[in-house]
Amino acid sequence: MSASALHDASSRLLFRLAGAALAAIVVLYLFEVSARYLFNAPTTWSGEVVRYALSVLIFFALPEITRRGSHVAIDIVPSVLPERLQSALLRAGFLLGSLVCLGAGAIAGREAVRQIERGLMTNAAHPIPRWWITAIIAIGLISAALHFARNGLARKPAA
Amino acid sequence: MTWVPFLTVGLGLLLALLFAGVPVFVGFLALNILGVVVLMGPAGFGLFTNSLFETATSPTLATVALFVLMGEILFRSGTVDVLFDSIDRLVGNLKGRLYVVVISLSTVFGALSGSAVAVAAMLGRSLLPMMQSRGYDAKLSAGTVLAGASLAPIIPPSLLAIIVGSLADVSIAGLLVAGLIPGLVLAGLTLGYVMLRMGPQPEEEPGSTQQPDRSRIEAALRMTPFLLVIFSVMGLIMLGIATPSESAATGVAGAVLVAALFGRLTLKMLSEAIGSAVAISAVILVIVCSAKLFSQLLSFTGATRGLVSLTADLGLGPDLTFLVMMLIPFVLCMFIDQIAFMLLAIPIYQPIVKAMEFDPVWFWTLFLINLTIGSLTPPFGYTLFALKGANRDLTIAQIFGAAWPVVTIFLIGMALLWAMPGLVTFLPEALK
């Protein structure tokens, strides 16, 4: 399997995990409402798991939506330019996207390492290591950066 | 005044990037990283990561994904078609009736969710494609969805009203109830605009036939299962059983039950709905995450506070002060998150509201409507991006074109509420 195929497969896998996170959010909220009003037994953990699941939803879906080119962009100016200029602008946009996401991912990755070193935990009733979430953010951004780079360096960048 | 060059250069850079076609979230992230490096150096990287962390784990954002999922289930199961066709039959053979149907439906959905972004995304994914396939005008259809979605933070229950109420020390119940008449006024103005666009002559609409009474009764009966979805969201909030986020999840459960009742519940449909909801909501939420960081930088440089303080220092009369106080959120909410703006502006606005002796319920209701207008004003309104993210067939130029008449309608509505404060204060006063 080539490196790009492996990258695509990993993005699809992360996207499925994002889907699982959304399903988990629904189930957790329904469980919480039932526990609170049917059994008078509210939990202290379901709201916290929902928060973590949301970060999985956003940042694990990011690589796949970047691969698909689903991001929102204002295309008024590029759409009126000649095709060659339009293509060059698109390529530059992808490369900038790659650079920015790589930078943001590197910052988050560095912060995750710092959080491991300091043993930082989330501020919650049932704390978890803070780096778990920060790593999810870093993974999503760095993988998205690779998709932007692949698209920017492709012979014909996909809009 | 160090915030002046930051704001000028920052906004210039952001505009240049976005108009060059760079993805919106990349534009905000680029500015953010640059801002952190320039203003704080590497010491600011912790703040940068922390901001991403806090936004990505904010439970209110889960509501967006859940309402998108609810819409996806209703759409993919085909149950929205049932609702759409039933209301279509009930409304009759009016000219432009599907626009009326969309405004009514989006008002109902908006009243259920409290989030303009979520409703725009949901309707953009569910009802708008149906209008497009029936040959309705793309801009007017998108405009009705934008208007309907923008009623969400105004008509109760409204998440923003609750936040404003708790921050501004105003009766939350009063503020919630106060949104009802203005919401209906804005819906009425939008309907009026649609009717004007349609012209006075009755005319056949695409896909329309005159329905006999029996067919209408049948249509009404076919709509009853949807009361389950409405109850799952609205009913549980009103009964105090679920928070708005939880009620979005019960709404998803309600949508699943409705799909099952119509015999259209399959694992394949559910799986596709989840996949689509993840893709749509991630596109939206990544922008929200990036924009939140931008608003933090504005706050750090003192730009937001500086702009607001400047208003207070001008020494204008009540009417002009009101105008300036409304102009600031109108402009800033095109760029930054409404909640972030409220957190910064409300503590500063509050003493000015008191000093100018504005009725607090009236002022904060108009403030709320104004924030909503900001989020649907081109080129940066969140609601616009939500609609674009949800409906790939619409170009951003079509969405911008659709938004301007809605912005104008809402501004006319605000002027009306400014001139006739009783429209806002009547219900809260009556309930005292």
Side-chain angles (χ1 to χ4, degrees), chain B residues 91 133 172 193 200 273 356 364 378 381 403 422 428:
Chain B
V91 169
S133 69
I172 292 174
Y193 168 72
M356 293 289 165
W364 293 115

Side-chain angles (χ1 to χ4, degrees), chain A residues 23-62:
Chain A
I25 290 172
V26 176
V27 172
L28 284 164
Y29 271 141
L30 292 178
F31 177 79
E32 179 61 29
V33 174
S34 313
R36 197 168 60 228
Y37 283 93
L38 297 179
F39 302 101
N40 198 23
T43 71
T44 51
W45 52 267
S46 73
E48 290 171 12
V49 182
V50 163
R51 291 175 55 194
Y52 307 141
L54 183 66
S55 66
V56 172
L57 190 163
I58 300 170
F59 284 96
F60 274 5
L62 183 60

Side-chain angles (χ1 to χ4, degrees), chain B residues 194-209:
Chain B
V194 168
M195 292 304 168
L196 273 177
R197 281 282 304 268
M198 290 290 97
Q201 297 301 315
E203 187 182 282
E204 281 285 318
E205 285 286 323
S208 127
T209 47

Side-chain angles (χ1 to χ4, degrees), chain A residues 36-37 51 54 72 75 130, chain B residues 24 50 57 240-241 246 396:
Chain A
R36 197 168 60 228
Y37 283 93
R51 291 175 55 194
L54 183 66
V72 174
D75 58 1
R130 207 171 160 85
Chain B
V24 175
N50 198 41
T57 54
I241 291 174
E246 289 169 346
I396 201 83

Side-chain angles (χ1 to χ4, degrees), chain A residues 15 18-20 22-23 25-27 29-30 32-33 36-37 47 50-52 54-59 61-62 65-66 68-78 89-90 92-94 96-101 103-105 107-108 110-112 114-115 122 130-131 133-134 137 141 144 148 159, chain B residues 17-26 29-30 33 42 45-46 48-50 52-62 65-66 69 236 240-243 245-247 249-250 252-253 273-283 285-287 289 379-380 385-386 388-389 392 395-397 400:
Chain A
F15 189 79
L22 178 56
I25 290 172
V26 176
V27 172
Y29 271 141
L30 292 178
E32 179 61 29
V33 174
R36 197 168 60 228
Y37 283 93
V50 163
R51 291 175 55 194
Y52 307 141
L54 183 66
S55 66
V56 172
L57 190 163
I58 300 170
F59 284 96
L62 183 60
I65 57 176
T66 308
R68 294 180 189 173
S70 302
H71 288 296
V72 174
I74 300 170
D75 58 1
I76 297 171
V77 177
L89 205 59
L90 195 63
F94 283 138
L96 179 73
S98 173
L99 203 67
V100 168
C101 285
I107 292 170
R110 203 185 83 147
E111 193 60 19
R114 207 179 61 87
Q115 287 168 351
T122 54
R130 207 171 160 85
W131 72 267
I133 308 299
T134 312
I137 295 171
L141 285 167
F148 273 130
Chain B
L17 287 177
L18 296 188
F19 281 106
V22 168
V24 175
F25 92 98
V26 171
L29 266 187
I33 294 175
F45 289 164
F48 174 86
T49 311
N50 198 41
L52 276 179
F53 185 106
E54 294 301 329
T55 317
T57 54
S58 163
T60 45
L61 292 184
L66 292 171
L69 177 59
L236 295 186
I241 291 174
T243 64
S245 295
E246 289 169 346
S247 74
T250 55
V252 171
I274 289 174
S276 188
V278 167
I280 294 166
S281 48
V283 163
L285 296 177
V286 153
I287 297 174
C289 285
F380 298 116
F385 296 134
K388 172 66 183 158
R392 304 272 294 164
T395 64
I396 201 83
F400 284 5

Side-chain angles (χ1 to χ4, degrees), chain B residues 93-134:
Chain B
N93 201 20
L94 295 172
K95 191 178 183 187
R97 75 192 188 291
L98 277 190
Y99 296 118
V100 178
V101 171
V102 166
I103 293 168
S104 313
L105 272 177
S106 54
T107 305
V108 171
F109 278 132
L112 297 181
S113 96
S115 158
V117 166
V119 177
M122 190 170 77
L123 294 172
R125 191 75 189 88
S126 54
L127 291 178
L128 204 51
M130 215 179 285
M131 297 188 82
Q132 286 162 332
S133 69
R134 291 186 186 195

